[in-house]
């Protein structure tokens, strides 16, 4: 994905000005930075919710406009429809033309996200972890081009977070993912590239650091002792925000 | 589990007990007054109530009153929904219409009835009167219902490019249902009451209103109360049907 000259203002304040970013196709890019630093705004531009100027291209050759992309978005809050069951919420985003194919896709994602026990429950009757998994299942059930994750594990305990991350990782392999997080360990566990953004006062967002994580680093043990150098570099970039 | 069972039983027993108390109080008042023409006894009222069912005119009056009630309510609900949608889609329209809605809402019903009687025949006048009172209530309910749809969910559906049919039936209608049902429950009984009140004043032929008016002229209080009971039963029936539909429609709550 290529973002070129992204410019966006909100209430006469510039958030992005001629902002450039490249994310390799099929890779996970974690976006970090201080609160109010424009991370969610970036996702909202990519998802087409905000009117911006500039270009966002995607695809193997980054030659297609993002308007044409199938974008899946996991918001900070699960945003589940209270009148639909877990299964209904997942089905909500699918085209209903081929019922058999819809049923297959839904069954498969429910199985993989371990939502079998609550598939017929309404959102008011499920736990926070199940709600997060449902929101993820809804995003993953489609054949998407770009996946946007906006702090999807906010408020979950470490054990639950680890469980979901372990489930999620193989499911998004080979997909282009932009993952906003405040958690360094989450970023280290998921990212192929980590971008640290900074926005001071009313200034436009700028990139403090971009760290590409070597593909060969496979033994990413969440909260483990490896990747220490990268962890230190991220922490240093974050303190500059 | 046990307290749930007790609560269910109480929900059935208590309303019945209240009705029994009302009937007992009425019977005592009737006994104290002692004039059947003013406050008829319970047995004579019941006798009159059941005798209504044997008369062909009863069914004709109930049928035509219900037709008028149906037409006024149907027009009110359809126009309220359409206008609420228009104001939701085009916000300035809501501000533009606000004074008109307030005007219709606060206009004295009696002025409305008298004006309607001058301008229209008795059939149309009864419909117009009920419509004019119920329409602003339903419009406000629908407009609030549109506003109550969670903006985050609308945004989510837009990002996922969900088709319109799915959005309407799986997102908008369930989210709006609470406000809509509240509006319907508070207006459906009122609509019938207004139709009957307008029928009395407009002297509409073949109506519950005119039957009540005849009973009043003949000082036949028992028949008047019997017709009142008929109107209450019909109103309660409508509200009951709406509550039943609501229970089925919003089972997720």
């Amino acid at each position: 994905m290529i973002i070129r000259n992204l410019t966006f203002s909100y209430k006469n304040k510039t958030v992005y000005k001629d902002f450039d970013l490249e994310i390799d196709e099929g890779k996970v890019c974690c976006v970090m930075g201080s609160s109010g630093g424009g991370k969610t705004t970036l996702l909202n531009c990519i998802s087409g919710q905000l009117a911006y100027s500039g270009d966002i291209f995607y695809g193997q050759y980054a030659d297609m406009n993002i308007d044409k992309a199938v974008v899946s978005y996991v918001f900070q809050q699960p945003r589940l429809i209270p009148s639909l069951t877990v299964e209904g919420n997942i089905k909500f985003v699918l085209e209903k033309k081929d019922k058999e194919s819809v049923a297959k896709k839904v069954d498969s994602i429910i199985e993989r996200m371990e939502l079998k026990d609550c598939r017929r429950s309404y959102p008011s009757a499920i736990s926070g972890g199940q709600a997060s998994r449902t929101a993820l299942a809804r995003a993953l059930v489609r054949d998407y081009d770009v996946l946007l994750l906006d702090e999807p594990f906010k408020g979950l305990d470490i054990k639950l977070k680890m469980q979901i991350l372990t489930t999620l990782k193989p499911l998004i392999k080979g997909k282009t993912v932009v993952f906003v997080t405040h958690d360094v360990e989450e970023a280290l566990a998921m990212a192929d590239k980590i971008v640290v953004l900074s926005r001071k006062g009313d200034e436009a967002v700028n990139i403090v650091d971009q760290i590409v994580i070597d593909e060969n680093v496979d033994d990413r043990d969440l909260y483990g002792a490896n990747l220490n150098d990268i962890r230190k570099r991220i922490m240093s970039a974050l303190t500059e925000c | 589990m046990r307290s749930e069972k007790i609560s269910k039983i109480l929900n059935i027993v208590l309303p019945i007990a209240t009705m029994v108390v009302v009937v007992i109080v009425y019977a005592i008042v009737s006994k104290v007054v002692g004039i059947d023409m003013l406050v008829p006894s319970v047995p004579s009222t019941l006798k009159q109530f059941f005798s209504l069912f044997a008369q062909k005119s009863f069914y004709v009056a109930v049928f035509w009153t219900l037709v008028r009630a149906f037409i006024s309510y149907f027009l009110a609900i359809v126009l309220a929904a359409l206008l609420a949608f228009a104001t939701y889609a085009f916000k300035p329209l809501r501000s533009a219409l606000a004074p008109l809605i307030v005007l219709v809402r606060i206009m004295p019903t009696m002025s409305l009835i008298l004006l309607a009687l001058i301008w229209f025949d008795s059939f149309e006048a009864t419909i117009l009167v009920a419509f004019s009172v119920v329409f602003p209530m339903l419009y406000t309910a629908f407009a609030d219902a549109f506003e109550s749809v969670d903006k985050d969910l609308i945004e989510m559906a837009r990002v996922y490019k969900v088709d319109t049919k799915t959005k309407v039936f799986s997102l908008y209608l369930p989210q709006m249902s609470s406000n809509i049902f509240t509006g319907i429950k508070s207006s459906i009984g009122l609509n019938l009451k207004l139709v009957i009140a307008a029928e009395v004043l407009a002297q509409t032929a073949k109506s519950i209103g005119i039957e009540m008016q005849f009973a009043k002229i003949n000082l036949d209080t028992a028949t008047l109360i019997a017709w009142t009971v008929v109107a209450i039963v019909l109103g309660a029936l409508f509200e009951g049907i709406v509550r039943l539909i609501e229970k089925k429609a919003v089972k997720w709550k």
Side-chain angles (χ1 to χ4, degrees):
Chain A
M1 184 192 286
I2 294 177
I3 299 170
R4 282 271 173 270
N5 300 324
L6 178 75
T7 301
F8 173 77
S9 300
Y10 178 71
K11 288 183 180 170
N12 293 326
K13 283 178 186 168
T14 306
V15 182
Y16 282 95
K17 188 164 171 50
D18 297 328
F19 178 84
D20 295 336
L21 180 68
E22 285 186 21
I23 299 164
D24 287 341
E25 188 68 11
K27 301 287 181 189
V28 179
C29 174
C30 277
V31 180
M32 303 188 75
S34 54
S35 297
K39 302 183 294 297
T40 300
T41 304
L42 180 66
L43 296 190
N44 289 343
C45 288
I46 297 171
S47 66
Q49 290 177 78
L50 299 175
Y52 58 87
S53 63
D55 298 304
I56 304 177
F57 295 108
Y58 79 102
Q60 201 179 350
Y61 305 105
D63 55 350
M64 288 181 281
N65 198 297
I66 196 73
D67 298 352
K68 307 278 181 291
V70 176
V71 176
S72 279
Y73 195 155
V74 182
F75 303 89
Q76 275 184 28
Q77 300 300 324
R79 296 195 188 183
L80 301 179
I81 298 175
S83 56
L84 297 178
T85 59
V86 163
E87 188 179 344
N89 268 287
I90 298 169
K91 265 187 196 166
F92 181 73
V93 298
L94 290 172
E95 278 187 38
K96 317 288 184 296
K97 283 173 193 164
D98 183 357
K99 279 186 180 173
E100 208 175 300
S101 146
V102 167
K104 257 186 192 172
K105 280 181 182 175
V106 172
D107 284 347
S108 163
I109 200 72
I110 281 177
E111 178 95 42
R112 298 182 83 167
M113 295 303 291
E114 296 168 25
L115 289 165
K116 255 180 154 180
D117 294 342
C118 62
R119 69 183 292 165
R120 293 201 168 81
S121 302
Y122 289 100
S124 58
I126 61 176
S127 67
Q130 285 169 327
S132 292
R133 286 210 295 269
T134 307
L136 275 169
R138 181 177 61 192
L140 300 172
V141 75
R142 319 161 82 202
D143 194 10
Y144 59 90
D145 299 308
V146 178
L147 174 65
L148 306 175
L149 303 169
D150 189 4
E151 299 184 60
F153 314 120
K154 202 176 171 183
L156 299 184
D157 62 61
I158 294 169
K159 194 181 161 196
L160 199 58
K161 203 187 288 187
M162 279 175 70
Q163 268 178 7
I164 300 175
L165 279 174
T166 314
T167 316
L168 182 63
K169 225 176 156 185
L171 291 171
I172 59 171
K173 205 172 169 70
K175 295 284 190 179
T176 306
V177 181
V178 186
F179 182 8
V180 167
T181 180
H182 279 290
D183 188 327
V184 178
E185 303 305 328
E186 257 177 46
L188 286 171
M190 300 293 286
D192 295 299
K193 180 182 186 175
I194 296 169
V195 177
V196 181
L197 301 180
S198 170
R199 184 173 180 239
K200 285 173 182 156
D202 290 345
E203 286 174 22
V205 172
N206 72 296
I207 295 173
V208 178
D209 200 357
Q210 291 194 63
I211 306 153
V212 177
I213 299 176
D214 192 335
E215 273 183 41
N216 297 321
V217 182
D218 288 334
D219 56 342
R220 295 184 205 181
D221 176 17
L222 194 68
Y223 299 99
N226 52 3
L227 297 165
N228 261 340
D229 290 344
I230 300 170
R231 188 177 287 115
K232 276 179 194 165
R233 195 172 149 188
I234 297 167
M235 295 304 280
S236 156
L238 285 171
T239 51
E240 280 180 47
C241 292
Chain B
M1 194 72 183
R2 202 177 156 208
S3 67
E4 218 172 85
K5 211 174 173 182
I6 292 168
S7 162
K8 266 187 181 175
I9 293 167
L10 283 177
N11 280 344
I12 298 167
V13 172
L14 286 178
I16 294 170
T18 307
M19 290 314 293
V20 170
V21 169
V22 169
V23 173
I24 291 169
V25 169
Y26 177 85
I28 293 167
V29 172
S30 168
K31 194 86 181 161
V32 170
V33 174
I35 306 166
D36 222 39
M37 200 187 281
L38 277 180
V39 188
S41 65
V42 175
S44 67
T45 306
L46 281 176
K47 193 181 152 202
Q48 216 43 44
F49 176 74
F50 288 112
S51 76
L52 288 177
F53 294 98
Q55 299 162 24
K56 195 188 162 198
S57 61
F58 166 79
Y59 297 100
V60 173
V62 169
F63 173 78
W64 283 106
T65 294
L66 289 181
V67 166
R68 287 178 205 102
F70 175 78
I71 294 173
S72 65
Y73 204 72
F74 178 78
L75 287 175
I77 208 163
V78 169
L79 285 174
L82 287 175
L83 201 63
F85 175 70
T87 54
Y88 176 69
F90 185 63
K91 297 271 186 260
L93 192 61
R94 189 166 192 182
S95 310
L97 285 173
L100 272 180
I101 298 292
V102 172
L103 189 84
V104 177
R105 195 186 293 145
I106 60 172
M107 192 173 174
T109 312
M110 197 49 75
S111 319
L112 204 71
I113 293 172
L114 294 174
L115 283 171
L117 282 174
I118 294 168
W119 294 333
F120 303 101
D121 67 32
S122 64
F123 187 94
E124 292 163 347
T126 47
I127 291 169
L128 182 78
V129 168
F131 171 87
S132 306
V133 177
V134 168
F135 170 75
M137 291 172 76
L138 286 171
Y139 165 75
T140 309
F142 273 100
D144 291 346
F146 273 112
E147 292 301 330
S148 72
V149 181
D150 190 334
K151 305 280 180 292
D152 283 347
L153 294 181
I154 297 173
E155 205 175 72
M156 179 275 293
R158 197 154 61 89
V159 169
Y160 282 100
K161 293 174 183 156
V162 176
D163 62 275
T164 310
K165 190 182 155 194
T166 307
K167 268 196 280 192
V168 170
F169 289 102
S170 300
L171 173 59
Y172 277 90
L173 286 180
Q175 288 263 304
M176 291 166 69
S177 62
S178 183
N179 276 308
I180 292 175
F181 277 114
T182 305
I184 291 176
K185 277 187 291 186
S186 60
S187 62
I188 198 159
L190 178 68
N191 178 65
L192 185 67
K193 278 204 283 190
L194 287 161
V195 165
I196 294 171
E199 283 172 349
V200 172
L201 289 161
Q203 311 248 332
T204 314
K206 295 173 187 168
S207 70
I208 293 178
I210 198 82
E211 294 292 340
M212 285 178 165
Q213 180 75 338
F214 285 154
K216 183 222 150 198
I217 291 165
N218 296 327
L219 292 175
D220 185 358
T221 316
T223 305
L224 182 56
I225 293 173
W227 275 109
T228 307
V229 173
V230 169
I232 290 169
V233 169
L234 287 173
L237 199 70
F238 287 151
E239 281 193 26
I241 291 167
V242 173
R243 275 177 209 281
L244 207 70
I245 296 170
E246 184 186 21
K247 214 174 170 183
K248 293 260 178 211
V250 291
K251 58 182 178 192
W252 51 278
K253 279 195 172 172

